Amino acid sequence: MSRTSFRFGDLRVVALGLVFILAWAGIGYRLFQVQGADAAVLAQRGFDQRIRHETIEAKRGTIFDRDGVELALTIYGKALIADPSLVDDPTEAAALLAPVLGADYVELAQRLDSEERFTYVARGLENDVVERAAEVIEEADLIGFSFEEAPLRIYPSGGLAAPVIGLTRFDDGAGIEGIESVMDTELAGRPGKRVVERDQAGRAIPQAEFLLEASTPGSDVVLTLDREIQYVAERSLQAAIESTGALGGTAVVMDPETGEILAMVSLPGFDGMDRATLDPSAIRNRAVSDVYEPGSTLKVVAVAAALEEGVVRPSTPFETPHEIEVVGETYTDHGSHPSIMTVTEIVAQSSNVGTIKIQKQLGDETHYRYLDDFGLGRPASIDFRGEATGRLDHVSEWCGPACSASAAIGYGIGTTTLQMAAVYATLANDGEWVEPHMLEEIVAPNGERITTEPRRRQVISAETAETMRSMLRGVVTEGTGFRADIDEFPVGGKTGTSDKFDVETGEYSETETIAWFIGIAPIDDPAIVAAVVLDTPTGRLSDDTELKFGGASAAPVFAEIVEAALHQLGVSPAHDDDA
Amino acid sequence: MTSGAIPRSAARHAGRRTKARPVVRPLLIFILAVTIAFFAVIYSRISLDRTAFDLQLLDREIAAQEERHWDLRAEHARLQAPDRITQRAAELGLVYPDDRQAIEVRGVESVVGGPEDRWMGLRALFVEQP
């Protein structure tokens, strides 16, 4: 009895012992496997789960105006991200979130209704929107949504100078238009790298963050723009567009001595903060991208060249019939004028006939040389991406007398508003052409300031330039540009009206025009040059003058801009008897 | 039995205790040292972690303050926007004067600079006046 029970107990002990031995052997084997054989692989796997290589985004530089006011800056915004596979009811989530985020409900619902593990619901959210969205998510107990940091580029002045400043891309923040694009390398900075150890919930473990490479913030860019002048120019031009029904317009205000652009307007424009209503055609900066025939505003080149070459003097008389025929082409003057006029009167009355005669005496070669010296036919500045070169055919390609006559009165030659502003700035700056520019300086993160000197060249003598200025004064006091006159400052300038060329029909329109006015103020001591262009203005003034003419539609805009700009710059009112 | 006499057995036990002391004391000291070191390491580790958390909090605070700094800069720029000011002025009933009058201050040289230069000129004039 005792022997049997002993055997049975012995067996149980042995079995138990075997189980323990096997269990321990298994544990030992596993231990050997984990700690020995597969140790390196498993350690690496664990390391990979905890350790993440992250990019430290560089803070994009700020764009300032000349007074240090921020025109574009980057703040720390938020992005709402989602794991669509966790979202129970995409339509309900979209219905709740779309109104808060200002997103399209259908598009958002479609994005959330997928098996993907990641999608952006909205980017560039400001704090108040984040708070409201967070409340909605919490109240409705929406699963699969979270917020993450995302830089947000903002334009505090809204649409002010938007086509000039440009835009950044929404996803990676790279500059895609305007100064944002031209200066993208400087503004962007250099991203850094870091290694972060995170726990299961994705939280960074303290003291487990290693910086591999610090990010370098982008440089700040200071523009020559004056926000107040820019605002007045935009407001005045917008009002003119609305009252004349023009398709668009441009304006450039610059300092002739330094070449600094104080204002550059391109309308219709856009608001960089409102991308939902962004019209792609409004993004381009028309002041540098759109090319127009400058019409009578270009007559100053032929006249200045003739004066400089000694071909004519201001008092030289010319027979000026109402029309002239050149190789089968008839050129006529607008309005009535004396049948004999001096060069000064030809400019004041903007006589096509008189200018064509002056150009004939000057000769094509010389005329072309001056057109080239005044900077036509090539980009005026390096500060604008996509700036049009305009059109100036080499003199050897001119078609003969008809082309010469057209060139004298601003046809057959294409220019941008900026190029023409630079021509008049040359007259204002005693005959020296200065490269128009908008970039004042680049301020590196270490405080280093980088400036670039604009190109300069003497085109005509100071005496000729002064003579031209007095002629331009006559245009305002006695000629076609009287609507550009202002009380406090003596101004001078030139009107221009060019018929629009229809590419499809190959003919000039009889009703649609480009209306110009370019002027200098104060004319006796130039501080600014302003060019105003209206694309297809229509209607009539109360005295029945057609608004399609530059003197009727563009000249008043010039007056409004110049008066405000001179006040803003602190220029003393005139003591000139003419004023 | 006198009061100063030590019983033999007690003396024998006392002698034994005297012999055991050199073996136990270092052991106790060692154990104590190890225990202290153990707790010191734990304490330092906890202290280090606490400091790390404090540092992390400070980092977050710096980031939050930086965020606030940029938000305020943006707000400052927004408030300065000419469009907003014009709109606000119109709401307040402010209008441009019909006729602007330039008041010439004699004694101030012709100034072509900005408001800063004009102010310098005026200040120079004030200094000269009695």
Side-chain angles (χ1 to χ4, degrees):
Chain A
M1 181 75 187
S2 63
R3 282 179 67 185
T4 308
S5 80
F6 171 76
R7 279 177 193 162
F8 181 69
D10 190 36
L11 276 174
R12 282 196 302 179
V13 169
V14 169
L16 195 64
L18 277 173
V19 167
F20 269 103
I21 288 167
L22 283 173
W24 280 110
I27 291 169
Y29 174 72
R30 185 65 187 152
L31 193 67
F32 169 75
Q33 214 177 15
V34 170
Q35 295 291 331
D38 297 339
V41 176
L42 292 172
Q44 187 59 45
R45 200 180 293 171
F47 188 76
D48 290 345
Q49 280 179 347
R50 295 191 319 276
I51 299 296
R52 292 179 197 175
H53 289 263
E54 295 181 351
T55 301
I56 311 168
E57 287 199 46
K59 186 161 175 58
R60 192 172 176 84
T62 302
I63 300 175
F64 294 99
D65 83 340
R66 65 189 299 116
D67 295 321
V69 178
E70 292 91 344
L71 297 172
L73 74 161
T74 297
I75 62 170
Y76 296 90
K78 293 262 192 315
L80 178 57
I81 57 173
D83 180 348
S85 67
L86 298 177
V87 178
D88 291 333
D89 188 346
T91 51
E92 186 205 356
L96 289 168
L97 289 170
V100 179
L101 302 170
D104 181 63
Y105 160 71
V106 178
E107 197 261 337
L108 181 56
Q110 282 173 349
R111 206 154 4 116
L112 293 175
D113 189 14
S114 83
E115 288 305 312
E116 284 182 18
R117 298 299 309 271
F118 177 87
T119 186
Y120 276 110
V121 179
R123 289 173 64 96
L125 300 175
E126 294 198 55
N127 289 337
D128 56 333
V129 180
V130 170
E131 281 170 22
R132 275 185 281 141
E135 277 173 22
V136 168
I137 290 167
E138 194 179 337
E139 282 169 14
D141 199 19
L142 299 177
I143 308 293
F145 294 89
S146 60
F147 292 95
E148 69 170 26
E149 291 281 341
L152 171 63
R153 192 71 167 165
I154 65 161
Y155 303 93
S157 298
L160 193 80
V164 177
I165 297 165
L167 278 175
T168 54
R169 207 160 32 216
F170 217 46
D171 50 359
D172 62 0
I176 46 172
E177 290 292 338
I179 294 293
E180 292 273 30
S181 170
V182 175
M183 301 304 298
D184 191 47
T185 311
E186 290 78 6
L187 286 164
R190 201 177 60 244
K193 290 176 193 165
R194 70 180 163 204
V195 175
V196 182
E197 198 172 347
R198 292 186 181 275
D199 64 12
Q200 277 186 320
R203 292 171 300 212
I205 296 170
Q207 282 204 321
E209 182 177 319
F210 307 99
L211 189 68
L212 297 180
E213 191 182 339
S215 65
T216 309
S219 299
D220 293 334
V221 171
V222 183
L223 303 182
T224 58
L225 279 188
D226 182 305
R227 192 167 66 160
E228 314 304 327
I229 299 175
Q230 178 75 26
Y231 175 67
V232 170
E234 282 192 12
R235 196 183 55 178
S236 304
L237 192 65
Q238 182 62 44
I241 288 171
E242 284 168 13
S243 63
T244 63
L247 300 176
T250 58
V252 172
V253 181
M254 60 184 284
D255 180 333
E257 198 178 331
T258 62
E260 291 174 353
I261 296 168
L262 304 172
M264 181 176 270
V265 185
S266 169
L267 292 175
F270 63 92
D271 184 347
M273 298 301 293
D274 182 14
R275 302 204 178 203
T277 59
L278 191 65
D279 175 8
S281 69
I283 294 176
R284 76 177 191 274
N285 182 358
R286 294 160 191 253
V288 294
S289 66
D290 286 14
V291 175
Y292 311 107
E293 286 172 311
S296 296
T297 56
L298 195 65
K299 287 173 182 167
V300 294
V301 174
V303 175
L307 288 169
E308 181 74 10
E309 294 295 317
V311 175
V312 295
R313 283 177 293 135
S315 57
T316 305
F318 281 87
E319 277 188 36
T320 49
H322 186 65
E323 60 181 42
I324 187 173
E325 194 173 308
V326 182
V327 202
E329 286 282 336
T330 304
Y331 296 87
T332 57
D333 283 347
H334 293 290
S336 59
H337 56 67
S339 57
I340 295 177
M341 290 197 287
T342 63
V343 172
T344 302
E345 289 168 333
I346 285 169
V347 174
Q349 297 303 322
S350 194
S351 166
N352 291 335
V353 175
T355 312
I356 288 168
K357 288 190 169 185
I358 293 170
Q359 195 275 344
K360 197 174 178 185
Q361 288 197 12
L362 179 67
D364 289 352
E365 292 280 352
T366 314
H367 186 204
Y368 172 79
R369 179 159 54 81
Y370 278 91
L371 287 167
D372 184 50
D373 283 352
F374 270 105
L376 304 182
R378 55 176 180 266
S381 174
I382 57 166
D383 290 351
F384 305 99
R385 183 156 294 166
E387 186 189 348
T389 55
R391 182 186 168 185
L392 175 63
D393 293 339
H394 191 268
V395 65
S396 60
E397 295 168 17
W398 287 12
C399 61
C403 281
S404 310
S406 294
I409 59 171
Y411 281 90
I413 291 173
T415 66
T416 64
T417 311
L418 183 64
Q419 285 174 327
M420 286 308 293
V423 168
Y424 279 71
T426 307
L427 303 178
N429 191 39
D430 287 338
E432 186 186 35
W433 182 91
V434 184
E435 181 188 7
H437 61 280
M438 189 170 279
L439 194 63
E440 189 163 298
E441 60 180 359
I442 299 167
V443 185
N446 62 6
E448 186 189 354
R449 289 169 182 266
I450 303 158
T451 53
T452 313
E453 277 298 305
R455 292 171 289 156
R456 291 170 182 271
R457 62 173 176 272
Q458 195 71 33
V459 180
I460 54 174
S461 68
E463 293 74 31
T464 304
E466 194 177 350
T467 307
M468 287 304 300
R469 290 201 297 272
S470 69
M471 287 183 182
L472 293 177
R473 176 65 182 148
V475 173
V476 173
T477 55
E478 295 157 26
T480 55
F482 64 92
R483 289 188 180 86
D485 204 11
I486 52 179
D487 292 337
E488 295 173 66
F489 303 94
V491 300
K494 185 74 192 75
T495 56
T497 307
S498 59
D499 296 330
K500 282 181 83 170
F501 186 74
D502 190 335
V503 180
E504 287 181 9
T505 61
E507 290 181 359
Y508 282 100
S509 168
E510 290 184 3
T511 54
E512 297 185 343
T513 63
I514 301 293
W516 293 76
F517 190 89
I518 312 175
I520 302 166
I523 195 74
D524 54 351
D525 186 12
I528 57 170
V529 163
V532 177
V533 180
L534 284 166
D535 182 355
T536 324
T538 55
R540 287 173 186 273
L541 289 171
S542 55
D543 63 0
D544 212 32
T545 308
E546 285 187 272
L547 286 166
K548 71 175 188 177
F549 295 112
S553 55
V557 180
F558 166 88
E560 205 173 322
I561 293 173
V562 159
E563 188 175 23
L566 292 175
H567 281 296
Q568 171 66 16
L569 295 172
V571 177
S572 298
H575 311 288
D576 183 313
D577 292 338
D578 294 338
Chain B
M1 194 169 161
T2 60
S3 62
I6 299 166
R8 188 180 262 184
S9 61
R12 199 164 52 238
H13 283 289
R16 274 181 198 163
R17 275 194 207 108
T18 311
K19 273 185 183 174
R21 243 176 229 158
V23 178
V24 173
R25 189 180 287 169
L27 190 64
L28 284 174
I29 291 169
F30 175 73
I31 290 168
L32 196 65
V34 166
T35 309
I36 290 168
F38 176 73
F39 281 108
V41 166
I42 289 175
Y43 176 78
S44 67
R45 187 64 214 176
I46 290 170
S47 175
L48 206 62
D49 283 352
R50 196 174 294 152
T51 311
F53 277 112
D54 287 347
L55 278 172
Q56 198 184 32
L57 277 176
L58 285 172
D59 280 345
R60 276 190 205 155
E61 184 67 18
I62 290 168
Q65 290 300 329
E66 198 178 344
E67 199 173 317
R68 177 117 180 96
H69 164 78
W70 284 99
D71 282 348
L72 286 172
R73 273 183 69 169
E75 188 62 18
H76 179 246
R78 274 197 200 107
L79 290 172
Q80 283 186 315
D83 199 23
R84 195 196 77 87
I85 291 170
T86 309
Q87 202 177 338
R88 187 86 186 104
E91 284 168 12
L92 293 170
L94 302 176
V95 290
Y96 280 105
D98 290 336
D99 294 304
R100 293 184 193 177
Q101 283 196 324
I103 301 167
E104 190 177 341
V105 181
R106 298 202 178 277
V108 180
E109 288 178 9
S110 176
V111 180
V112 290
E116 212 42 49
D117 293 335
R118 278 191 292 172
W119 171 240
M120 291 295 281
L122 282 169
R123 200 162 55 177
L125 177 69
F126 294 148
V127 169
E128 283 172 16
Q129 286 176 341

